[in-house]
Amino acid sequence: MSDPNKTNFTNPSTFILLGIPGLEAAHIWISIPFCIMYIIVILGNFTILFIVKTELSLHEPMYYFLCMLAVTDLILSTCTLPKMLSIFWFNSREINFSACLTQMYFIHCFSITESGIFVAMAFDRYVAICNPLRHSTILTNPVLAKVGLAIMLRGSILVLPHLFLARQWPYCRTNIISHSYCEHIAVVKLACVDIRVSSYYGLSVAFFIIGLDVFFIAVSYTQILRAIFRLPTKDTRLKTFGTCSSHLGAILVFYTPGLFSFLTHRFGQNVALHFHILMANGYLLVPPMLNPLIYGLRTKQIWDRMLQLFSHKGSFS
């Protein structure tokens, strides 16, 4: 008798997402924190966007970049969570072949975009601290628009080969993806040809982009720290460094689980599959959830405006 999972096809109409293999019985329970986190992502990031839009004093480069980060986080979480929750709640595991590749493209494109936004935010902090008198003349609105466009184009173009290669591979092994979303390597591993081109390109892009972005961030903060240590008093140094604390916290939240997930997927053969998938899901949910909380709590202007917003609502109730 032939295995139904090994039917011969070169371009499947659908893939089957397993969710979190090994933890199927706990899918309902796992969905509860995931759903709560997604609600926080939606409320937190839309609150940031609303506050920056309505508060004229926040119409500055730092907050424009923060809005870009909020939009990116909303897209990253929304392109995966609704489908993930449908698997957990309704056992709706099928995903159209084209929809799967589209999801894969958006995940990797906006992950690269988010990394680029952190570089831009580091440069903004560098100019604000090291060249404060030229900050408004260097980071003008046209410059910000060009930087934002360059960040988007970089992610869009670098991920296109992933999409083209994944679409052209023949899939004759199985259409079952042992994951809760269409992650690049999890998809192309199902192809019945040598996929080293996809694998090597993915590794090259990841190490090149992450390495380059982390390098630029490190250079920016080296210059920032040098400028801070030259300030005359300890209070001034702490206050100036405090303007960077939100950005540094967001960087750690983004890069640490992302790097761990990336490395375990390729080299962690001894890591349990369900643990890896939980980490991969957390990477797409935890940073989008924490970023608005980090910036909201650590940025005085946003925190004050948030308190004002909710106090007004309370006074009308």
Side-chain angles (χ1 to χ4, degrees), residues 283-309:
Y283 165 65
L284 295 179
L285 260 184
V286 173
M289 178 187 71
L290 291 182
N291 284 338
L293 298 177
I294 292 170
Y295 281 98
L297 294 174
R298 295 292 302 170
T299 306
K300 186 178 186 300
Q301 295 94 321
I302 293 178
W303 178 245
D304 289 345
R305 185 69 179 87
M306 201 179 296
L307 289 177
Q308 183 183 1
L309 180 67

Side-chain angles (χ1 to χ4, degrees), residues 19-21 178-181 272-282:
I20 305 177
S178 298
H179 214 297
S180 55
Y181 60 85
L273 180 60
H274 66 267
F275 179 76
H276 163 71
I277 294 176
L278 284 171
M279 282 296 299
N281 291 338

Side-chain angles (χ1 to χ4, degrees), residues 18-32:
L18 291 185
I20 305 177
L23 296 180
E24 289 86 355
H27 273 179
I28 290 294
W29 297 107
I30 294 170
S31 72
I32 296 173

Side-chain angles (χ1 to χ4, degrees), residues 108-181:
H108 293 280
C109 172
F110 282 95
S111 294
I112 293 174
T113 298
E114 183 149 341
S115 183
I117 293 170
F118 283 125
V119 176
M121 295 174 88
F123 180 71
D124 169 71
R125 291 297 85 206
Y126 161 75
V127 176
I129 292 172
C130 299
N131 295 285
L133 298 179
R134 298 181 59 198
H135 185 257
S136 60
T137 59
I138 293 174
L139 291 173
T140 61
N141 285 343
V143 169
L144 294 177
K146 291 175 183 176
V147 170
L149 180 61
I151 290 171
M152 278 298 304
L153 286 176
R154 184 184 74 154
S156 302
I157 293 170
L158 286 174
V159 179
L160 277 178
H162 283 326
L163 190 66
F164 292 145
L165 289 170
R167 183 171 288 279
Q168 78 169 11
W169 296 139
Y171 296 89
C172 56
R173 292 175 178 166
T174 178
N175 65 338
I176 296 176
I177 302 174
S178 298
H179 214 297
S180 55
Y181 60 85

